[in-house]
Every structure is written in structure tokens, then in C-alpha cells.
Amino acid sequence: MQIIADLHTHTNVTDHAFSTLTEMVQAAEDRGLAAIAITNHGPTNPDGPHEWHFSNLDLIPRKIGKVTVIRGIEFDITAPAGGINVISNKSLKPVEFALASFHECMFPPADSSVHTAALEAILYNPYVNAFGHLGNSNFPFDHEYIISRCNDHGKIVEINNASLSIRKGSHDNCMDIARLCMKYEVPISVDSDSHICYRVGHVEGALEMLEEIGFPEELIINSSVERLNNYFKGRGLHLFDEEDLL
Ligand SMILES: [Zn+2]
Ligand SMILES: [Zn+2]
């Protein structure tokens, strides 16, 4: 099992991340990745960039060196009703891949029913592609209720390697969520959530967990160039040329 793209990374326009776009892309190339998504925090997160960061994302070349660059965002899920950061449609226009995640600074942890209702609202949000680091144990929710409905709303689930190492107690949640994705055939991505170039593409812990439960590779959208291409093609985005697919 392997990944060929890292779909959750931060550059230093996020204050608590340290590497430039150039360094992140170079790290992806050094790791042999075909693609990287740059997914900085939404503009109303205290650590997010100004929304002009997002409106200008299309300045980034589609391909830098050997790496295809996907223009992304990591929205905060906002309390209590499950909104996302306030951002204009103009600024969102270049965004090609959007995660939505709970962060304690933007959503004070409440109880499972509050979190489940917020996630349910995200299911209906047309700007969101994927749920980010759902395994955070500060945000318990009704796993089966949300995961079983992802396919109806075209949402994928991220298994976040950083959760397994830094978010205490996430391992069992991530495993349960992954098992449900398997049961309901919900596609997932496996990402590093790197805040520095040295971690780009490092998802060893997540892959180990997925292998342990026999998770099917076909459901991991970033496990091959062809699968990643098909995922984005289904959303009207042409990512790779024919020669990249060989
Ligand atoms: Zn996050
Ligand atoms: Zn992140």
C-alpha cells in the first residue's frame, strides 16, 4: 500500500507551519509523489491567511517540476451549526479541493450530538469534498450515521496520519471510521497534514492501520495516479496528461 499524492498540507502562510510552497513541492518530488494539495486554513481561523491567498491560488502552476499541484483549503467547521469560514465566492473560485475539519479554536468541543449535527450540515455543503481528521477524540460523533451517508452526498473521508501520532486517542476512532468506510464503500484519502516539508508524504502509521484492517486499496483515492485522476475527473477537473497516467 502506498500513496502517490498528499492531499492535506500547509505552507507558511499558516503561521504555525514553516515551509514555503516551493519547499513543499520539492519535498513531494523528493518523496516520489505525483501530486500535492496545498490546503491552508480558512481565512477566519486565527492562523489562516487572508482570503486573497485563496483568490490567487490559480497563480500556482498546475505542475511544478514533476509534481501536479492541487489548489486547496482546509475549512474550519464552525460552531454550533456546522458552517464553514466566511469567504467570498470569488476567493473560493480557484479552490479545487476542500477539506472541512473540527479545530478546537473554531469549534469548542461539545457533545456527540452537537458534533454529529455539525457534520451532517457539512454533508449538504457543496463546497466541501472531504472530512478532515475525523478521528480527533475531542470531537466524538455518531460515526455510522455520518459515514453511511457520505456517498449520498459525494463526500470522502480523510485518514490523517498526524492524528494517529499527535491527536491523543485518535487511533481507535480512526480505525472505527476506516472500518465503516470499508463497510459503506466510502472512498478515503490518506494524508500527512504536514506543517513542514520534512513530513510531506509521511503516512506510514495510517497505512499500517489500514493494512491491519484489510482496507481495500481501490477505495483510497490517492493510492494511484489513475484513481486520483478519476476522482478529480468526476468533478470536472483535468489533473493529469495522458503520459502521466502511463
Ligand atoms: Zn486541521
Ligand atoms: Zn491541516
Side-chain angles (χ1 to χ4, degrees), residues 89-106:
N89 279 345
K90 183 174 173 273
S91 297
L92 271 186
K93 209 162 169 248
V95 171
E96 299 164 333
F97 184 70
L99 299 146
S101 316
F102 283 124
H103 297 113
E104 286 80 354
C105 62
M106 295 292 284

PDB file of all heavy atoms in Angstrom, residues 89-106:
ATOM      1  N   ASN A  89     -17.340  34.027  -2.683  1.00  0.00           N
ATOM      2  CA  ASN A  89     -17.331  33.079  -3.792  1.00  0.00           C
ATOM      3  C   ASN A  89     -16.166  33.350  -4.734  1.00  0.00           C
ATOM      4  O   ASN A  89     -15.590  32.427  -5.299  1.00  0.00           O
ATOM      5  CB  ASN A  89     -18.645  33.169  -4.580  1.00  0.00           C
ATOM      6  CG  ASN A  89     -19.734  32.390  -3.874  1.00  0.00           C
ATOM      7  OD1 ASN A  89     -19.457  31.582  -2.995  1.00  0.00           O
ATOM      8  ND2 ASN A  89     -20.975  32.654  -4.240  1.00  0.00           N
ATOM      9  N   LYS A  90     -15.827  34.632  -4.875  1.00  0.00           N
ATOM     10  CA  LYS A  90     -14.709  34.992  -5.766  1.00  0.00           C
ATOM     11  C   LYS A  90     -13.410  34.339  -5.264  1.00  0.00           C
ATOM     12  O   LYS A  90     -12.628  33.797  -6.032  1.00  0.00           O
ATOM     13  CB  LYS A  90     -14.575  36.516  -5.790  1.00  0.00           C
ATOM     14  CG  LYS A  90     -13.505  37.029  -6.716  1.00  0.00           C
ATOM     15  CD  LYS A  90     -13.548  38.559  -6.772  1.00  0.00           C
ATOM     16  CE  LYS A  90     -12.370  39.113  -7.553  1.00  0.00           C
ATOM     17  NZ  LYS A  90     -11.182  39.331  -6.761  1.00  0.00           N
ATOM     18  N   SER A  91     -13.209  34.393  -3.949  1.00  0.00           N
ATOM     19  CA  SER A  91     -11.982  33.820  -3.390  1.00  0.00           C
ATOM     20  C   SER A  91     -11.985  32.301  -3.459  1.00  0.00           C
ATOM     21  O   SER A  91     -10.935  31.662  -3.515  1.00  0.00           O
ATOM     22  CB  SER A  91     -11.798  34.268  -1.941  1.00  0.00           C
ATOM     23  OG  SER A  91     -11.637  35.652  -1.889  1.00  0.00           O
ATOM     24  N   LEU A  92     -13.173  31.732  -3.456  1.00  0.00           N
ATOM     25  CA  LEU A  92     -13.257  30.265  -3.487  1.00  0.00           C
ATOM     26  C   LEU A  92     -13.113  29.697  -4.900  1.00  0.00           C
ATOM     27  O   LEU A  92     -12.860  28.513  -5.080  1.00  0.00           O
ATOM     28  CB  LEU A  92     -14.616  29.809  -2.950  1.00  0.00           C
ATOM     29  CG  LEU A  92     -14.721  29.569  -1.463  1.00  0.00           C
ATOM     30  CD1 LEU A  92     -16.083  28.994  -1.131  1.00  0.00           C
ATOM     31  CD2 LEU A  92     -13.626  28.594  -0.992  1.00  0.00           C
ATOM     32  N   LYS A  93     -13.266  30.577  -5.876  1.00  0.00           N
ATOM     33  CA  LYS A  93     -13.317  30.095  -7.256  1.00  0.00           C
ATOM     34  C   LYS A  93     -12.122  29.206  -7.666  1.00  0.00           C
ATOM     35  O   LYS A  93     -12.323  28.147  -8.269  1.00  0.00           O
ATOM     36  CB  LYS A  93     -13.438  31.286  -8.212  1.00  0.00           C
ATOM     37  CG  LYS A  93     -14.169  30.944  -9.478  1.00  0.00           C
ATOM     38  CD  LYS A  93     -14.670  32.178 -10.195  1.00  0.00           C
ATOM     39  CE  LYS A  93     -15.133  31.772 -11.578  1.00  0.00           C
ATOM     40  NZ  LYS A  93     -14.292  32.292 -12.624  1.00  0.00           N
ATOM     41  N   PRO A  94     -10.882  29.594  -7.328  1.00  0.00           N
ATOM     42  CA  PRO A  94      -9.766  28.727  -7.750  1.00  0.00           C
ATOM     43  C   PRO A  94      -9.625  27.433  -6.933  1.00  0.00           C
ATOM     44  O   PRO A  94      -8.804  26.588  -7.277  1.00  0.00           O
ATOM     45  CB  PRO A  94      -8.531  29.606  -7.527  1.00  0.00           C
ATOM     46  CG  PRO A  94      -9.024  30.979  -7.283  1.00  0.00           C
ATOM     47  CD  PRO A  94     -10.407  30.828  -6.704  1.00  0.00           C
ATOM     48  N   VAL A  95     -10.384  27.315  -5.853  1.00  0.00           N
ATOM     49  CA  VAL A  95     -10.194  26.162  -4.962  1.00  0.00           C
ATOM     50  C   VAL A  95     -10.723  24.884  -5.622  1.00  0.00           C
ATOM     51  O   VAL A  95     -11.853  24.836  -6.093  1.00  0.00           O
ATOM     52  CB  VAL A  95     -10.899  26.390  -3.604  1.00  0.00           C
ATOM     53  CG1 VAL A  95     -10.903  25.118  -2.767  1.00  0.00           C
ATOM     54  CG2 VAL A  95     -10.223  27.528  -2.843  1.00  0.00           C
ATOM     55  N   GLU A  96      -9.856  23.864  -5.631  1.00  0.00           N
ATOM     56  CA  GLU A  96     -10.199  22.608  -6.318  1.00  0.00           C
ATOM     57  C   GLU A  96     -10.460  21.450  -5.360  1.00  0.00           C
ATOM     58  O   GLU A  96     -11.009  20.428  -5.755  1.00  0.00           O
ATOM     59  CB  GLU A  96      -9.035  22.234  -7.253  1.00  0.00           C
ATOM     60  CG  GLU A  96      -8.804  23.289  -8.308  1.00  0.00           C
ATOM     61  CD  GLU A  96      -7.454  23.173  -8.994  1.00  0.00           C
ATOM     62  OE1 GLU A  96      -6.487  22.649  -8.392  1.00  0.00           O
ATOM     63  OE2 GLU A  96      -7.362  23.630 -10.148  1.00  0.00           O
ATOM     64  N   PHE A  97     -10.004  21.609  -4.128  1.00  0.00           N
ATOM     65  CA  PHE A  97     -10.166  20.513  -3.169  1.00  0.00           C
ATOM     66  C   PHE A  97     -10.315  21.119  -1.788  1.00  0.00           C
ATOM     67  O   PHE A  97      -9.462  21.884  -1.342  1.00  0.00           O
ATOM     68  CB  PHE A  97      -8.951  19.584  -3.207  1.00  0.00           C
ATOM     69  CG  PHE A  97      -9.094  18.381  -2.324  1.00  0.00           C
ATOM     70  CD1 PHE A  97      -9.994  17.372  -2.634  1.00  0.00           C
ATOM     71  CD2 PHE A  97      -8.325  18.250  -1.168  1.00  0.00           C
ATOM     72  CE1 PHE A  97     -10.138  16.250  -1.810  1.00  0.00           C
ATOM     73  CE2 PHE A  97      -8.461  17.128  -0.346  1.00  0.00           C
ATOM     74  CZ  PHE A  97      -9.376  16.135  -0.676  1.00  0.00           C
ATOM     75  N   ALA A  98     -11.404  20.806  -1.117  1.00  0.00           N
ATOM     76  CA  ALA A  98     -11.676  21.415   0.189  1.00  0.00           C
ATOM     77  C   ALA A  98     -11.956  20.351   1.237  1.00  0.00           C
ATOM     78  O   ALA A  98     -12.856  19.519   1.093  1.00  0.00           O
ATOM     79  CB  ALA A  98     -12.869  22.360   0.079  1.00  0.00           C
ATOM     80  N   LEU A  99     -11.140  20.412   2.294  1.00  0.00           N
ATOM     81  CA  LEU A  99     -11.398  19.601   3.479  1.00  0.00           C
ATOM     82  C   LEU A  99     -12.216  20.450   4.442  1.00  0.00           C
ATOM     83  O   LEU A  99     -12.124  21.680   4.416  1.00  0.00           O
ATOM     84  CB  LEU A  99     -10.086  19.256   4.174  1.00  0.00           C
ATOM     85  CG  LEU A  99      -9.052  18.448   3.409  1.00  0.00           C
ATOM     86  CD1 LEU A  99      -7.649  18.885   3.807  1.00  0.00           C
ATOM     87  CD2 LEU A  99      -9.246  16.970   3.692  1.00  0.00           C
ATOM     88  N   ALA A 100     -12.983  19.833   5.302  1.00  0.00           N
ATOM     89  CA  ALA A 100     -13.624  20.549   6.405  1.00  0.00           C
ATOM     90  C   ALA A 100     -13.306  19.781   7.683  1.00  0.00           C
ATOM     91  O   ALA A 100     -13.515  18.562   7.754  1.00  0.00           O
ATOM     92  CB  ALA A 100     -15.132  20.632   6.204  1.00  0.00           C
ATOM     93  N   SER A 101     -12.774  20.514   8.663  1.00  0.00           N
ATOM     94  CA  SER A 101     -12.288  19.852   9.881  1.00  0.00           C
ATOM     95  C   SER A 101     -12.718  20.614  11.129  1.00  0.00           C
ATOM     96  O   SER A 101     -12.852  21.830  11.102  1.00  0.00           O
ATOM     97  CB  SER A 101     -10.751  19.801   9.890  1.00  0.00           C
ATOM     98  OG  SER A 101     -10.218  19.418   8.647  1.00  0.00           O
ATOM     99  N   PHE A 102     -12.862  19.862  12.198  1.00  0.00           N
ATOM    100  CA  PHE A 102     -13.053  20.482  13.509  1.00  0.00           C
ATOM    101  C   PHE A 102     -11.695  20.941  14.040  1.00  0.00           C
ATOM    102  O   PHE A 102     -10.733  20.163  14.034  1.00  0.00           O
ATOM    103  CB  PHE A 102     -13.581  19.458  14.520  1.00  0.00           C
ATOM    104  CG  PHE A 102     -15.046  19.134  14.404  1.00  0.00           C
ATOM    105  CD1 PHE A 102     -15.460  17.818  14.233  1.00  0.00           C
ATOM    106  CD2 PHE A 102     -16.016  20.132  14.509  1.00  0.00           C
ATOM    107  CE1 PHE A 102     -16.816  17.495  14.159  1.00  0.00           C
ATOM    108  CE2 PHE A 102     -17.369  19.816  14.438  1.00  0.00           C
ATOM    109  CZ  PHE A 102     -17.769  18.499  14.263  1.00  0.00           C
ATOM    110  N   HIS A 103     -11.618  22.194  14.512  1.00  0.00           N
ATOM    111  CA  HIS A 103     -10.440  22.667  15.245  1.00  0.00           C
ATOM    112  C   HIS A 103     -10.962  23.311  16.522  1.00  0.00           C
ATOM    113  O   HIS A 103     -11.921  24.088  16.475  1.00  0.00           O
ATOM    114  CB  HIS A 103      -9.654  23.693  14.421  1.00  0.00           C
ATOM    115  CG  HIS A 103      -9.092  23.132  13.154  1.00  0.00           C
ATOM    116  ND1 HIS A 103      -9.526  23.521  11.911  1.00  0.00           N
ATOM    117  CD2 HIS A 103      -8.143  22.183  12.948  1.00  0.00           C
ATOM    118  CE1 HIS A 103      -8.862  22.845  10.985  1.00  0.00           C
ATOM    119  NE2 HIS A 103      -8.018  22.020  11.585  1.00  0.00           N
ATOM    120  N   GLU A 104     -10.291  23.037  17.610  1.00  0.00           N
ATOM    121  CA  GLU A 104     -10.774  23.499  18.923  1.00  0.00           C
ATOM    122  C   GLU A 104     -10.937  25.024  18.967  1.00  0.00           C
ATOM    123  O   GLU A 104     -11.816  25.542  19.638  1.00  0.00           O
ATOM    124  CB  GLU A 104      -9.817  23.032  20.031  1.00  0.00           C
ATOM    125  CG  GLU A 104      -9.916  21.544  20.371  1.00  0.00           C
ATOM    126  CD  GLU A 104      -9.151  20.647  19.386  1.00  0.00           C
ATOM    127  OE1 GLU A 104      -8.630  21.154  18.363  1.00  0.00           O
ATOM    128  OE2 GLU A 104      -9.090  19.420  19.636  1.00  0.00           O
ATOM    129  N   CYS A 105     -10.081  25.761  18.227  1.00  0.00           N
ATOM    130  CA  CYS A 105     -10.141  27.233  18.287  1.00  0.00           C
ATOM    131  C   CYS A 105     -11.376  27.788  17.578  1.00  0.00           C
ATOM    132  O   CYS A 105     -11.756  28.936  17.816  1.00  0.00           O
ATOM    133  CB  CYS A 105      -8.877  27.853  17.683  1.00  0.00           C
ATOM    134  SG  CYS A 105      -8.632  27.474  15.943  1.00  0.00           S
ATOM    135  N   MET A 106     -11.978  27.003  16.715  1.00  0.00           N
ATOM    136  CA  MET A 106     -13.132  27.488  15.956  1.00  0.00           C
ATOM    137  C   MET A 106     -14.419  26.745  16.311  1.00  0.00           C
ATOM    138  O   MET A 106     -15.502  27.114  15.868  1.00  0.00           O
ATOM    139  CB  MET A 106     -12.867  27.339  14.451  1.00  0.00           C
ATOM    140  CG  MET A 106     -11.740  28.188  13.923  1.00  0.00           C
ATOM    141  SD  MET A 106     -12.102  29.964  13.945  1.00  0.00           S
ATOM    142  CE  MET A 106     -13.204  30.116  12.534  1.00  0.00           C
TER     143      MET A 106
END
